[in-house]
Amino acid sequence: NLKDQVAKLKRQLSNVQQHNTKSLTDNILLQHQVAPGEAEVDLHIDMLTERPADLTPHEAFEMQMHYFRLCMDHAFSNKMKKVTFIHGVGHGILKDQIVKELKEYDNVHFFDAPMSKYGVGATEVYFK
């Protein structure tokens, strides 16, 4: 009957949504993917939270670094080829910390992203 069919479709939809949520949780970079194996992550605080004005500068920085680290973890676990982190220019604090942490990895190469596309506010990370 129609009621049973609707219930079945709702269960199927729920299963698909749960699977998609799990995939996104397993690889947060899927939402930033620009090509197979490549992602572009904008770390500007207004891209990470709906209420950036509610954060202190330190809280904003910590949120940005947390998201950077999360993306790096997902890049490794999902065998990404390249991730471009858009950090902006500002006072250079975020970029400096990102570079400092990237230097701790043995299996990445990183460079300033192309100025023609990003200005001086982005870093490209290549995974070996």
Side-chain angles (χ1 to χ4, degrees):
N1 75 30
L2 185 59
K3 187 176 180 180
D4 291 338
Q5 288 177 337
V6 168
K8 181 180 177 183
L9 288 172
K10 283 183 178 180
R11 283 192 305 275
Q12 288 174 338
L13 177 61
S14 177
N15 288 341
V16 167
Q17 288 172 330
Q18 287 174 356
H19 173 74
N20 288 345
T21 299
K22 181 172 178 9
S23 294
L24 196 55
T25 302
D26 289 346
N27 185 1
I28 200 148
L29 293 175
L30 288 177
Q31 64 186 313
H32 301 289
Q33 190 166 340
V34 293
E38 297 183 12
E40 186 176 278
V41 179
D42 192 339
L43 293 174
H44 285 94
I45 194 62
D46 58 329
M47 299 302 291
L48 303 180
T49 181
E50 292 179 10
R51 301 181 59 117
D54 292 349
L55 301 173
T56 67
H58 179 72
E59 289 169 332
F61 173 77
E62 288 299 321
M63 180 179 280
Q64 291 167 308
M65 288 306 301
H66 172 76
Y67 199 70
F68 164 77
R69 292 177 188 120
L70 182 64
C71 288
M72 287 295 291
D73 289 344
H74 286 231
F76 282 113
S77 63
N78 292 281
K79 297 179 177 32
M80 297 294 287
K81 293 184 258 179
K82 177 178 95 170
V83 178
T84 302
F85 290 99
I86 303 168
H87 42 69
V89 180
H91 297 344
I93 296 167
L94 181 59
K95 178 182 181 177
D96 290 347
Q97 185 62 35
I98 287 171
V99 167
K100 180 180 176 186
E101 291 197 18
L102 287 171
K103 287 179 179 179
E104 295 177 18
Y105 292 98
D106 293 331
N107 45 357
V108 301
H109 294 291
F110 60 94
F111 310 93
D112 288 338
M115 188 176 242
S116 60
K117 185 172 182 181
Y118 301 99
V120 293
T123 301
E124 287 184 344
V125 181
Y126 294 87
F127 298 83
K128 297 179 187 177

